Amino acid sequence: MKHSRILTSTFLAVSVAVMAFTGCTTTQTVTAETSDREIVQLAQTAYDKGNEKLAISYYEQLIMYYGQDLSIYVEGKYEIGHIYLKQKKYTQAAECFMDVISIYDSLPVGTLPGTFKKLSQNDLAKIPANKLTKSN
């Protein structure tokens, strides 16, 4: 009887510890049924909690599921670039920003809201020219 109480107590303590740990790192599964706005919210929440890798993963999934809509594609690509900029991964950030800008430049003016072009231009201007190397 005493042995089973110790096992039960130990099991409960381990269970609580595992739940506490996984509670901080849980991810929501994204499927084709998850809306674009839900994915953006998941990405923003992950970023706000300091999980930049997970945020990028969500934005990549956003592009995978909804990237055929150029307004969603440029949003996701800009957000990935912005995270890379914050991480000082300048080459990757610049690639994202230039991709967004080139999409805008290839379309008639007014096809997409100008927000992400302007944000990409502003963030691209923040990257020191000497930091744009293949090693970043």
Side-chain angles (χ1 to χ4, degrees):
M1 180 89 149
K2 186 175 181 180
H3 182 65
S4 68
R5 284 187 189 165
I6 292 172
L7 286 176
T8 302
S9 297
T10 303
F11 176 76
L12 287 174
V14 170
S15 297
V16 169
V18 167
M19 287 189 288
F21 176 74
T22 58
C24 296
T25 60
T26 57
T27 60
Q28 181 174 331
T29 302
V30 173
T31 66
E33 288 76 40
T34 309
S35 77
D36 61 314
R37 296 297 93 199
E38 289 172 316
I39 298 171
V40 169
Q41 186 59 55
L42 290 169
Q44 290 173 346
T45 299
Y47 182 79
D48 290 344
K49 290 182 176 182
N51 194 339
E52 295 168 344
K53 184 176 178 180
L54 180 58
I56 289 171
S57 173
Y58 281 133
Y59 285 123
E60 288 171 342
Q61 291 176 74
L62 174 74
I63 291 169
M64 181 180 71
Y65 286 115
Y66 295 100
Q68 69 279 8
D69 180 330
L70 285 180
S71 63
I72 294 172
Y73 178 89
V74 296
E75 178 182 7
K77 202 65 162 180
Y78 165 76
E79 294 294 350
I80 291 169
H82 189 71
I83 293 170
Y84 283 145
L85 179 64
K86 296 289 185 181
Q87 293 175 333
K88 298 183 181 184
K89 294 181 178 178
Y90 296 122
T91 300
Q92 294 95 319
E95 288 170 359
C96 291
F97 300 141
M98 290 187 290
D99 186 21
V100 169
I101 293 166
S102 71
I103 289 170
Y104 276 94
D105 289 347
S106 71
L107 297 172
V109 174
T111 304
L112 295 172
T115 306
F116 292 107
K117 180 178 183 180
K118 186 65 177 169
L119 290 169
S120 292
Q121 290 169 328
N122 290 344
D123 278 359
L124 188 59
K126 294 176 185 175
I127 299 174
N130 65 340
K131 298 295 183 180
L132 294 176
T133 65
K134 298 282 184 198
S135 63
N136 282 338

